[in-house]
Amino acid sequence: MQDKDFIGKDIVSIRELSNEEIEHILQTAKKMVDIARGKRVVKPLEGKILGTAFFEPSTRTRLSFESAMLRLGGKCLGFSEATTTSVAKGETLADTVRMLASYSDVIVIRHKYEGAARLAAEFSDKPVINAGDGAGQHPTQTLLDLFTMKEKLGKLEDINVALIGDLKYGRTVHSLAHALAKFNANLYFVAPETLQMPDHIIGPLEEMGAKTQKFNALEEVIESCDVFYMTRIQRERFPDIQEYNKVAGIFRLDARMLERAKKHAIVMHPLPRVNEISPDVDATKHAMYFEQAFNGVPVRMALLLLLLGGEMDA
Ligand code: NCD
């Protein structure tokens, strides 16, 4: 696997990346950490432009992509609110994407509809990165999640990972479950029955021979996990607010529960958190979600560098 193999690639779903490609991205990300922290200044992407099209709210994903591009010497343009663009006048996604592709060298898109990033990739002659498509996929979040787990636990193989919360509508866990299965991790799906991991995600996992188990209480897995991956109940994806109210606040991890956890166990969350993690967890050594959010920068730097064919010694 060489850097140049990534040039021009679209990153739409984690399913399309091989283990070798994922490992190459993570290794490249490791070399980016000092630059992401501002300790070293480089400009391999000088003259390149990142175009961002965020049709759904975002804090970390958009800002860490922008930070990544700026840290590598590139520039950014785009929108974080479709209401201020011609989309509000009825422009189609295809036209918006075609236009953005002509103004930039790589596009990052987030949209409320599953499949939007795939469509964008079809209409863009520049590489497209999916920053979340509805309840579909969120591959770059998965890459930074894997990076965090590997850094903290030293490996991905055979680790016990509990994915907790909204496994039905949560795109982060759809991508992450697939990636972890590729690396032979043990997966515990912890959710109320109505929000369990959907069959269309579990099906391919079973075909891969993944080791999965379902639970409906956090207490059942607290002693056996290396990673607690908490997620927010995705209120905006519920067709009926009454249904949301039935499950809101169902799981809440606190410092007392963690007293029974393995010493090295880590608590992760793609953020934003609502009330899934009590603030008293923040001060424990298990809390990894803020470091995880920082890791978005080196991982996205690695991706931008690879897709755009940037040379580090340039
Ligand atoms: C996640 C998302 O947008 O899917 N956020 C993120 O990218 N860090 C998780 C969420 O919104 O719950």
Side-chain angles (χ1 to χ4, degrees):
M1 176 75 16
Q2 291 182 323
D3 286 1
K4 66 174 170 44
D5 299 332
F6 289 88
I7 296 176
K9 230 173 143 44
D10 297 313
I11 307 291
V12 174
S13 164
I14 201 75
R15 293 185 189 141
E16 291 150 7
L17 289 174
S18 67
N19 288 21
E20 209 188 347
E21 286 171 319
I22 292 174
E23 276 170 1
H24 194 83
I25 296 166
L26 302 189
Q27 278 159 18
T28 309
K30 201 158 170 144
K31 296 182 205 151
M32 299 293 129
V33 172
D34 275 356
I35 310 165
R37 292 197 197 280
K39 291 186 186 158
R40 244 179 88 204
V41 178
V42 295
K43 294 190 166 142
L45 296 186
E46 189 162 29
K48 300 283 186 198
I49 296 176
L50 164 69
T52 55
F54 278 75
F55 293 87
E56 267 199 333
S58 170
T59 308
R60 275 148 293 269
T61 305
R62 185 171 62 85
L63 295 180
S64 63
F65 260 116
E66 291 186 4
S67 175
M69 192 61 177
L70 297 170
R71 292 282 195 206
L72 290 171
K75 292 201 158 60
C76 313
L77 57 79
F79 57 86
S80 53
E81 255 243 53
T83 50
T84 62
T85 70
S86 288
V87 171
K89 300 182 191 168
E91 186 169 59
T92 63
L93 179 62
D95 282 0
T96 305
V97 164
R98 269 197 202 102
M99 182 273 310
L100 192 58
S102 73
Y103 296 163
S104 48
D105 301 293
V106 54
I107 293 180
V108 175
I109 181 169
R110 167 171 288 187
H111 202 282
K112 69 174 174 179
Y113 292 130
E114 212 168 317
R118 176 86 54 210
L119 184 95
E122 278 167 28
F123 285 94
S124 168
D125 55 354
K126 306 288 167 54
V128 169
I129 303 176
N130 181 6
D133 62 326
Q137 292 274 312
H138 195 347
T140 65
Q141 178 70 44
T142 292
L143 291 168
L144 75 92
D145 294 340
L146 297 178
F147 182 82
T148 307
M149 289 180 206
K150 199 151 183 198
E151 285 301 295
K152 290 295 149 193
L153 304 170
K155 60 172 188 170
L156 299 172
E157 295 75 17
D158 290 320
I159 58 172
N160 299 336
V161 183
L163 305 180
I164 301 153
D166 187 348
L167 308 185
K168 180 178 181 188
Y169 296 117
R171 55 196 173 200
T172 61
V173 284
H174 294 167
S175 290
L176 184 57
H178 196 90
L180 286 169
K182 278 171 181 294
F183 284 98
N184 222 12
N186 302 310
L187 295 170
Y188 302 153
F189 299 142
V190 186
E193 204 45 56
T194 53
L195 295 181
Q196 257 299 350
M197 195 60 96
D199 289 343
H200 74 272
I201 302 288
I202 295 195
L205 298 185
E206 281 174 353
E207 278 166 33
M208 289 158 72
K211 296 160 283 181
T212 68
Q213 270 177 276
K214 287 183 182 172
F215 298 89
N216 41 41
L218 189 43
E219 289 73 12
E220 291 179 73
V221 299
I222 205 87
E223 279 159 22
S224 45
C225 285
D226 301 301
V227 181
F228 300 97
Y229 193 92
M230 305 300 295
T231 63
R232 174 179 70 88
I233 310 286
Q234 309 278 297
R235 189 179 57 175
E236 68 275 31
R237 311 221 188 279
F238 280 68
D240 178 357
I241 193 71
Q242 302 299 333
E243 291 302 309
Y244 169 75
N245 290 335
K246 283 186 200 160
V247 285
I250 191 151
F251 297 130
R252 184 174 165 90
L253 185 63
D254 61 28
R256 246 188 71 190
M257 289 164 82
L258 282 167
E259 284 167 11
R260 285 172 47 217
K262 289 184 188 177
K263 279 201 165 42
H264 68 259
I266 56 174
V267 178
M268 295 176 64
H269 194 307
L271 302 177
R273 66 174 148 175
V274 181
N275 47 19
E276 308 79 42
I277 303 177
S278 160
D280 67 5
V281 176
D282 298 2
T284 71
K285 60 186 183 323
H286 302 289
M288 210 50 64
Y289 26 95
F290 296 121
E291 194 170 329
Q292 178 189 0
F294 164 75
N295 288 340
V297 182
V299 168
R300 289 174 171 128
M301 286 170 78
L303 263 185
L304 293 171
L305 191 76
L306 290 167
L307 300 189
L308 293 172
E311 303 270 346
M312 272 312 281
D313 43 359

